[in-house]
Amino acid sequence: MNFKLIKDISISLLLARWKQTLVAAIGVTFSITMFIALLSFMSGLNTMLDSLIINRTAHVRLYNEIQPSKQQPIDLSKQFGKDHNFIRSVKPKDERLEIYNAGAIMNALKSDTRVSGTAPKITAQVFYNIGTIDLTGVINGIDVEAENKLFTFNDYVTTGNYIDLKNVPNSIILGKAAADKMLAKIGDVIQVTTPRGERMPLKVVGYFQSGLQELDKVQSYTSINTAQKLLGVSGSYITDIQVKLKDINIAPQLAKEYRQLFNLEALDIQTANSQFETGSFIRTLISYAVGITLLIVAGFGIYNILNMMIYEKMDSIAILKATGFSGADVNRIFLTIALSIGVFGGILGLIFGFGVSALIDQVPFVTASLPTIKTYPVDYNPKFYIIGILFSIVTTYFAGYFPSRKASKIDPVIIIRGK
Amino acid sequence: MNTNVLEAKKISKYFYDPVKVQVLSNIDLAVKRGEFISIIGKSGCGKSTLLYILSTMDTDFDGELLIDGINIKNKKESELALIRNQKIGFVFQFHYLLNEFSVLRNVMLPGQKLGKYSDKELEHRAYEKLKVLGIEKEALKKPNQLSGGEKQRVAIARALINDPLIIMGDEPTGNLDNKNSEIVFSIFQELAQNYKQTLLIVTHDNEFASRTHRIIEMEDGRIK
Ligand SMILES: Nc1ncnc2c1ncn2[C@@H]1O[C@H](COP(=O)(O)OP(=O)(O)O)[C@@H](O)[C@H]1O
Ligand SMILES: [Mg+2]
């Protein structure tokens, strides 16, 4: 059909009531603006909070756990092995936390195409000695370069140079909160004791801030060699292998595979941090809910203006029908009006939404716990803009659907008789 | 060949609100090409009702209606719209012009819907029609800037734009003063004489009716 004619008639009806039309369009604009700004901001926040975890946590962590042997000697016996055996008060084996054959495992992991990188680690319980007081802490012995490559270690070393950990013998980077507690300045030497009683002086070469205060109170970093010296173990001793994957989503499945393959405990990031995913999900859900609610309200605005227009333009509708326009034509005229309001308001909303996002992006957001963040995080994902415009078109279509149908069903005889 | 532009066979019409009333009973009517017919009768005798049926706007009736030899029973709403668009020009008591559009555009609208001519040609044709009615000077004004008589003449031009088989009028001079009524009458006469236009006009003016080719008088839903 003659779309140009339908368009002409729609536009002239729109312009005849341009103030109300504008108000309806502003409603759409406002809701799309809010929708875009909210989602961009929330998604930025989610990405930031996730990266807090994802960038710094191994996607799969391999380690040994001290636990009772799953098979007790009696289970191996031919005579009683098939019976139900009750053994009480089982104690863990005297087993070290060391990963045996770590070098071979690391090589195997490096040749796995799904793995993007590995880093060895030693975690050890220690006491920081200050005067007569002992503070509990955890020392991470790391391969400084591998750690930096995998987990951007450098980003969290707020004072000092991370590479000093490798270059300066017997050095330590303290968590900022722990350092504050100990009044330890850069260049100071602090005393560290292991649970077995070995004591060692370590030189503070930097502070680090993870963004998680609780973590910074206890954690500190040394090189892997220093940690081995501290624990008095051989140069092959490590307790953890951290694995980073190309695709984080396969972590749980891979953890299961490695558990069997290497006969080690394997913890995937999803299991370790399930609360974060829930948080992200809820935030996204709320943003969508607010955006859609606003759009529905805007949809009612459009519904109202169309109903009013149809009521006012009964005569015009009647004469159009009398002179040969079909119900379908009239329907198209009013749907075109609704959709123009939606598209026009929606596109403006996208522009304003981008503007508001850019503004949020400029707002300073300085917090001690997030050293890499300077302003509020914003995610300019084009997906939000596509969803936004689709939403505005769909809502206005539905808002226009019933009034347009009503208009198409108007009986010209009734209108003309009424005159 | 059938020269009947319009043929009504035994048309009856009932209204059911609030009680069943028969408004038209067994109307038989044939309109030949080039005829100028007037329908007269007392107020409430069913003239408008008949005209709405003959113009396909009201399809709820008993009997048969043939327009240009085509039976309109069981036609879809969009098909009837097309018949109205192509073959029928309607002039009401009220002008029903769209104030959002210029006079010229109002005249062009049914033609644009038909889509037989380009906009350029249509504009030319609309000017021609306005010239016949002596109001081509007002073409670019908005309808609300015109007098009542001028508006009604624009409505006639609109009815003419698709060269319809028949022009129907429901008391087209009902809202006009004597002078303007006379102008509209003479336009109808001119159309009938010079352009051999078929016309079917309801009127309450017996003097005007007497100047037409044929008078149909109605009484209580019947043709007398
Ligand atoms: N919608 C309706 N419902 C019930 N009765 C109606 C309706 N429309 C018209 N009528 C009745 O039908 C009769 C004919 O009306 P109408 O055709 O308008 O007469 P006329 O045009 O000759 O004055 C009148 O008695 C009127 O009251
Ligand atoms: Mg009447």
Side-chain angles (χ1 to χ4, degrees):
Chain A
M1 231 293 303
N2 193 341
F3 180 74
K4 194 180 159 289
L5 180 58
I6 299 280
K7 192 193 73 189
D8 277 4
I9 297 175
S10 308
I11 288 175
S12 64
L13 288 178
L14 261 175
L15 293 181
R17 279 263 153 260
W18 69 270
K19 276 184 200 159
Q20 283 92 330
T21 313
L22 195 66
V23 170
I26 287 172
V28 177
T29 303
F30 180 72
S31 49
I32 295 292
T33 303
M34 288 302 290
F35 180 77
I36 297 286
L38 212 64
L39 269 175
S40 304
F41 183 43
M42 283 296 179
S43 170
L45 218 56
N46 278 346
T47 315
M48 183 195 79
L49 291 173
D50 285 351
S51 68
L52 215 67
I53 296 300
I54 291 168
N55 292 346
R56 264 182 281 170
T57 317
H59 297 168
V60 177
R61 188 165 77 91
L62 301 174
Y63 61 102
N64 251 329
E65 191 147 58
I66 294 184
Q67 58 189 4
S69 183
K70 285 191 181 94
Q71 284 206 314
Q72 293 299 320
I74 192 154
D75 293 327
L76 301 173
S77 127
K78 283 203 175 74
Q79 197 179 346
F80 303 108
K82 290 194 174 70
D83 298 350
H84 278 287
N85 302 309
F86 297 95
I87 307 168
R88 290 157 69 73
S89 204
V90 177
K91 299 286 185 293
K93 291 186 292 184
D94 177 19
E95 192 176 44
R96 288 198 301 173
L97 291 170
E98 176 175 6
I99 298 181
Y100 298 103
N101 233 345
I105 294 175
M106 298 257 288
N107 281 336
L109 287 172
K110 266 169 202 155
S111 59
D112 192 328
T113 50
R114 295 165 296 185
V115 171
S116 75
T118 59
K121 190 163 128 180
I122 299 172
T123 39
Q125 296 284 333
V126 291
F127 298 104
Y128 307 118
N129 314 115
I130 321 155
T132 55
I133 299 171
D134 292 336
L135 289 178
T136 54
V138 176
I139 281 194
N140 298 292
I142 55 170
D143 176 336
V144 182
E145 272 151 348
E147 189 80 9
N148 191 46
K149 216 175 101 210
L150 254 55
F151 306 116
T152 57
F153 180 58
N154 185 27
D155 279 355
Y156 308 100
V157 178
T158 49
T159 318
N161 191 349
Y162 80 100
I163 204 73
D164 284 349
L165 212 53
K166 189 183 167 207
N167 297 340
V168 179
N170 296 346
S171 55
I172 187 167
I173 289 180
L174 282 173
K176 183 80 171 63
D180 286 347
K181 251 183 173 172
M182 288 186 256
L183 298 171
K185 299 270 172 305
I186 307 282
D188 286 359
V189 173
I190 61 161
Q191 298 291 327
V192 173
T193 314
T194 66
R196 298 198 171 178
E198 285 112 5
R199 192 181 172 97
M200 196 167 165
L202 293 172
K203 186 175 181 187
V204 180
V205 293
Y207 302 145
F208 107 106
Q209 262 179 310
S210 66
L212 305 172
Q213 186 82 6
E214 283 305 309
L215 213 70
D216 296 348
K217 266 190 201 160
V218 289
Q219 298 270 23
S220 60
Y221 288 90
T222 64
S223 71
I224 220 157
N225 294 338
T226 312
Q228 284 162 351
K229 256 191 272 174
L230 175 68
L231 295 174
V233 292
S234 74
S236 66
Y237 178 96
I238 59 168
T239 60
D240 290 64
I241 297 173
Q242 308 173 92
V243 183
K244 209 162 182 185
L245 303 175
K246 285 173 184 148
D247 176 12
I248 188 168
N249 295 316
I250 62 168
Q253 172 206 331
L254 228 58
K256 205 167 141 195
E257 189 181 319
Y258 290 157
R259 205 172 294 144
Q260 278 165 7
L261 191 62
F262 302 126
N263 195 21
L264 286 171
E265 280 302 311
L267 183 66
D268 58 274
I269 186 166
Q270 283 86 349
T271 311
N273 296 289
S274 47
Q275 80 280 10
F276 271 89
E277 230 166 285
T278 317
S280 304
F281 174 74
I282 298 284
R283 275 190 293 275
T284 311
L285 191 72
I286 291 173
S287 317
Y288 273 94
V290 170
I292 289 170
T293 310
L294 287 171
L295 260 178
I296 290 173
V297 173
F300 275 105
I302 293 175
Y303 177 85
N304 274 338
I305 169 109
L306 278 184
N307 266 335
M308 200 178 72
M309 236 180 226
I310 288 162
Y311 186 76
E312 276 180 359
K313 296 292 165 200
M314 286 283 191
D315 284 359
S316 304
I317 296 167
I319 192 63
L320 285 175
K321 286 191 138 186
T323 56
F325 285 78
S326 63
D329 293 334
V330 173
N331 196 19
R332 279 192 212 108
I333 289 172
F334 284 92
L335 270 185
T336 306
I337 292 177
L339 286 177
S340 343
I341 296 175
V343 171
F344 175 74
I347 289 175
L348 271 188
L350 295 189
I351 295 169
F352 284 131
F354 181 79
V356 173
S357 306
L359 273 180
I360 293 174
D361 205 359
Q362 298 305 312
V363 177
F365 176 60
V366 184
T367 154
S369 58
L370 294 167
T372 51
I373 307 288
K374 301 277 175 276
T375 56
Y376 278 115
V378 169
D379 181 0
Y380 295 98
N381 193 338
K383 192 176 86 182
F384 304 143
Y385 293 78
I386 293 167
I387 293 175
I389 196 74
L390 284 183
F391 270 177
S392 66
I393 290 172
V394 169
T395 355
T396 47
Y397 178 82
F398 281 113
Y401 181 80
F402 291 103
S404 304
R405 220 175 57 151
K406 193 171 100 185
S408 76
K409 295 229 153 65
I410 283 175
D411 182 354
V413 172
I414 293 175
I415 309 297
I416 290 165
R417 241 186 218 294
K419 274 278 163 184
Chain B
M1 205 193 110
N2 190 355
T3 52
N4 281 344
V5 169
L6 187 146
E7 209 173 333
K9 294 178 186 163
K10 297 209 176 312
I11 285 187
S12 296
K13 166 87 186 173
Y14 301 87
F15 280 119
Y16 297 93
D17 192 23
V19 287
K20 186 173 172 177
V21 188
Q22 183 162 21
V23 194
L24 297 175
S25 25
N26 291 324
I27 301 271
D28 283 311
L29 175 69
V31 179
K32 291 200 176 61
R33 204 172 292 271
E35 262 193 310
F36 183 13
I37 304 174
S38 56
I39 302 177
I40 56 169
K42 287 206 192 77
S43 179
C45 69
K47 306 182 294 293
S48 296
T49 309
L50 177 63
L51 219 53
Y52 297 143
I53 290 173
L54 297 182
S55 68
T56 77
M57 284 195 281
D58 184 353
T59 49
D60 179 23
F61 62 89
D62 301 332
E64 261 183 38
L65 172 63
L66 284 86
I67 292 174
D68 205 13
I70 304 161
N71 193 333
I72 68 123
K73 264 270 137 82
N74 301 324
K75 291 252 182 256
K76 279 187 290 190
E77 182 257 4
S78 58
E79 289 170 322
L80 293 178
L82 186 64
I83 289 176
R84 284 200 294 280
N85 190 227
Q86 284 179 322
K87 301 180 194 290
I88 301 171
F90 216 116
V91 184
F92 303 96
Q93 193 168 342
F94 183 71
H95 55 79
Y96 291 105
L97 297 174
L98 276 60
N99 281 324
E100 291 84 22
F101 289 111
S102 68
V103 162
L104 188 69
R105 212 46 216 287
N106 265 287
V107 176
M108 286 165 69
L109 273 179
Q112 289 180 307
K113 163 67 195 168
L114 186 61
K116 193 167 137 195
Y117 300 100
S118 72
D119 277 7
K120 200 98 207 115
E121 286 169 296
L122 260 181
E123 203 176 300
H124 177 72
R125 288 172 58 84
Y127 262 113
E128 293 293 301
K129 305 289 178 195
L130 288 171
K131 219 173 268 174
V132 172
L133 299 172
I135 42 166
E136 76 274 16
K137 285 196 185 66
E138 323 293 343
L140 298 178
K141 284 190 183 167
K142 287 282 159 69
N144 51 15
Q145 294 169 302
L146 303 186
S147 74
E150 287 168 334
K151 281 180 196 163
Q152 201 61 322
R153 279 190 269 167
V154 176
I156 297 171
R158 180 179 60 194
L160 287 168
I161 189 70
N162 286 342
D163 295 328
L165 271 182
I166 181 166
I167 296 247
M168 298 187 191
D170 189 3
E171 308 200 24
T173 60
N175 278 341
L176 301 181
D177 57 23
N178 281 338
K179 187 173 146 264
N180 276 305
S181 297
E182 182 49 42
I183 294 174
V184 170
F185 282 160
S186 27
I187 286 166
F188 285 141
Q189 262 181 323
E190 191 190 333
L191 288 174
Q193 256 166 28
N194 301 353
Y195 299 89
K196 301 284 168 265
Q197 177 68 56
T198 316
L199 293 136
L200 181 63
I201 310 291
V202 169
T203 179
H204 53 264
D205 187 333
N206 291 341
E207 196 266 329
F208 167 61
S210 69
R211 286 152 64 182
T212 63
H213 302 167
R214 175 148 72 105
I215 301 174
I216 294 171
E217 195 178 349
M218 283 183 69
E219 199 173 78
D220 289 339
R222 283 169 218 281
I223 292 178
K224 229 164 77 167

